[in-house]
Amino acid sequence: MPAETRSRRSDALRNRDRLLATAADLFAERGLEVPLDEIARSAGVSIGTLYNHFPTRDALYAAIIPARLDALDRIVADALDVEDPWEGFVAYLEGLFGLMARDRSLNDAIAQRRPAGDEVAEACARSVDAVLELIARAKAGGGLREDFAPMDLAMLAAAVSQVIHESGDWRRFLTLHLTGLRAPTDTTKGSLPPLGGKDPSNRVCLRRPGPSRRPRSR
Amino acid sequence: MPAETRSRRSDALRNRDRLLATAADLFAERGLEVPLDEIARSAGVSIGTLYNHFPTRDALYAAIIPARLDALDRIVADALDVEDPWEGFVAYLEGLFGLMARDRSLNDAIAQRRPAGDEVAEACARSVDAVLELIARAKAGGGLREDFAPMDLAMLAAAVSQVIHESGDWRRFLTLHLTGLRAPTDTTKGSLPPLGGKDPSNRVCLRRPGPSRRPRSR
DNA sequence: TTTGAACTTGAGGGAACCCTCAATTTATTG
DNA sequence: CAATAAATTGAGGGTTCCCTCAAGTTCAAA
C-alpha cells in the first residue's frame, strides 16, 4: 500500500494558506513582533489553529521567508550580471535595502541576527559566497577600497535598517555613505553624485566618480 | 510665613538619590526598557516608592538626563573651539556617538524620537543651533559637501545608533561614512585614512584628505 | 515623648501576550 | 449516510510588566 493514503483536508490547506498570506502581510508591514493572536484573527482563524499549523513564531516565519530569499537570490544574481564591478556592488546594496524597506520583518530578522530556521541560515550562506565575489570584484576593478571587510557590509546593513525604520531617505543615506561627506576637492571637482532629496525617481547614483564615465547597459 | 516651612524628609531624599543613581546605571547599561520593578529592587526600595517619586518612566528619565545634556553641551562647545572646521565637525560627531555608545538610553531616546520631557527638547534645541553653526562652518571652510542637510545628520545618528546597538565598530563605520567607500583614484591617491579595525586606540580619523594637511592642537 | 504629616510598603488588579487542551465541528471515505 | 480521523475552537492558565492604594512605618517639630 502507498505510504500515505489519506490526503490533507481541504479546510486545513485553506487555513494554512490564509495564515501564511496574512502573516506575510503583517510581518512586512509591522515587523516580526506582531502578536500571533492578531495574525490569527486577521486570517479569520482561531489562535489554536495557528498553533496547530505553526508551533512557534519562527516556524511561521520560516514558512514565509523562502519567497524573500528567492528575491534576494535574484538580486545577487542580477548584481553579478552587471558588467561594471562597482555598479554591480551598488546594485546589490540597492536591491537588498530596497527589499528591507519593503518588508520590515527582513529588517528585524537582520537586526536580531536570529536566522529563524536552518533554511534561512542556509540561504544566507548561499548568498554570502556571491556577495564575497561581488566585493572581490569591486575591489579588483571597481575602485572599492581594499580595506573594506564583510563586517563593514554587516554594519552598513544594520545602519540602513535603522534609517529605514525611522522612515529616513535610505537612498540618500546610502549615496552619502558610498561617496563620503567631503565636497569635491580641486582635483576631484564634479565627481560627487547629486543626492536627490525629494526626487521621486530616487535612485542611488551608480556612476563612478571621476572623468572616466562610460554609460552602461544591462 | 515662608512658602514652605516643612522640609523634605531625609529618608525620602536618600531614596530619591538611590533611585536616580540606580536608574541611571541600568538605563545606561540596558536601555530605556528596563522594568521599573527591577530599578526599584536594585535601589533597595519598593515599587510604590519609585512611583511616589516618579509617577512615570519619563519623569524618572527626565530627572536623569540633565547630566548627559551637560556632557552634550560640553561636546558641542569643544567642537566649536576646534579651529579647523572639518575637524570640529568630526569632533562633534565623535563626541555625540561616544556618548551614545556609553549610554544605551541615549541611543533609545534618539531612536524613538520621544524627547522625554520639555527639558530634553529644550536642550536639544539649544544644541541644534550650535550644530547648525558647526555644519555651516564645515561647509564654508572644511570641505563638507554643500548639499549636506541636518536631516543627513539625523539619519547618521540613527544609523550609528544601530551600529552601536549591534556592538559594531562605530568608529570604523563613521570613518567609512565620512570618507566613502571608494579607493583613492589616481588623483586622490593616498587621501584615504586608515580604518583601524582592531586598533585599541580607535579614533576617527580627523585629518582632511588631500595634500593640505597641517597638524592641529587644542 | 507625643503626634501628625510624610513616606514606604507590597499585595493585587489590569493589560498584553504566550501557549495548551478538552470539547466540538468538519471533511472524507466506504 | 454513518463512521472516524483530522481540524478547529476559545476559554483558561502562565508570565511579565504596569500602576494603585489602604495599611503600616518613620521622621521631625513641638
Side-chain angles (χ1 to χ4, degrees), chain A residues 14-36:
Chain A
R14 182 167 38 77
N15 284 337
R16 202 185 126 92
D17 286 349
R18 277 191 190 171
L19 279 169
L20 283 177
T22 309
D25 283 354
L26 288 178
F27 281 153
E29 197 180 317
R30 313 224 319 258
L32 279 183
E33 313 255 73
V34 182
L36 294 178

Side-chain angles (χ1 to χ4, degrees), chain B residues 22-213:
Chain B
T22 309
D25 282 354
L26 288 177
F27 281 152
E29 196 180 315
R30 314 227 315 261
L32 280 182
E33 313 256 73
V34 183
L36 294 179
D37 319 46
E38 186 178 347
I39 295 178
R41 211 179 323 121
S42 295
V45 134
S46 91
I47 181 64
T49 298
L50 189 154
Y51 276 98
N52 188 28
H53 285 285
F54 308 101
T56 67
R57 175 182 236 96
D58 277 0
L60 175 55
Y61 192 56
I64 287 174
I65 279 255
R68 305 290 157 173
L69 294 182
D70 288 352
L72 189 58
D73 282 347
R74 239 173 295 126
I75 285 165
V76 172
D78 284 357
L80 280 171
D81 272 353
V82 177
E83 267 185 65
D84 181 89
W86 173 258
E87 286 185 23
F89 179 62
V90 175
Y92 167 71
L93 295 179
E94 223 190 338
L96 172 62
F97 298 148
L99 215 58
M100 284 167 47
R102 257 172 276 128
D103 186 341
R104 273 200 44 177
S105 75
L106 274 184
N107 221 314
D108 290 359
I110 285 175
Q112 63 190 65
R113 53 175 86 281
R114 172 165 53 89
D118 293 341
E119 188 175 10
V120 185
E122 187 195 340
C124 289
R126 201 185 332 138
S127 90
V128 158
D129 289 343
V131 172
L132 290 181
E133 166 75 13
L134 276 171
I135 291 177
R137 279 178 31 180
K139 280 182 185 173
L144 177 61
R145 49 192 300 167
E146 276 299 327
D147 50 7
F148 184 83
M151 169 192 120
D152 292 311
L153 185 51
M155 283 196 288
L156 178 58
V160 171
S161 112
Q162 186 65 18
V163 172
I164 291 171
H165 192 81
E166 299 193 23
S167 320
D169 182 344
W170 65 266
R171 291 175 193 276
R172 182 179 167 102
F173 180 81
L174 179 57
T175 302
L176 267 180
H177 191 77
L178 293 178
T179 58
L181 298 188
R182 311 290 320 228
T185 62
D186 291 346
T187 53
T188 61
K189 208 70 168 182
S191 70
L192 282 183
L195 281 179
K198 300 287 181 188
D199 187 348
S201 72
N202 241 342
R203 296 207 71 230
V204 173
C205 179
L206 294 179
R207 300 280 153 254
R208 2 178 17 169
S212 67
R213 64 175 53 177

Side-chain angles (χ1 to χ4, degrees), chain B residues 10-28:
Chain B
S10 57
D11 54 346
L13 255 80
R14 182 168 37 79
N15 285 336
R16 200 187 128 93
D17 286 349
R18 278 190 190 172
L19 279 169
L20 284 177
T22 309
D25 282 354
L26 288 177
F27 281 152

Side-chain angles (χ1 to χ4, degrees), chain A residues 29 32-33 45-46 80 96 113 126 169 176 179 213:
Chain A
E29 197 180 317
L32 279 183
E33 313 255 73
V45 133
S46 93
L80 279 171
L96 172 63
R113 54 175 83 282
R126 202 187 331 139
D169 182 344
L176 268 179
T179 58
R213 66 174 54 179

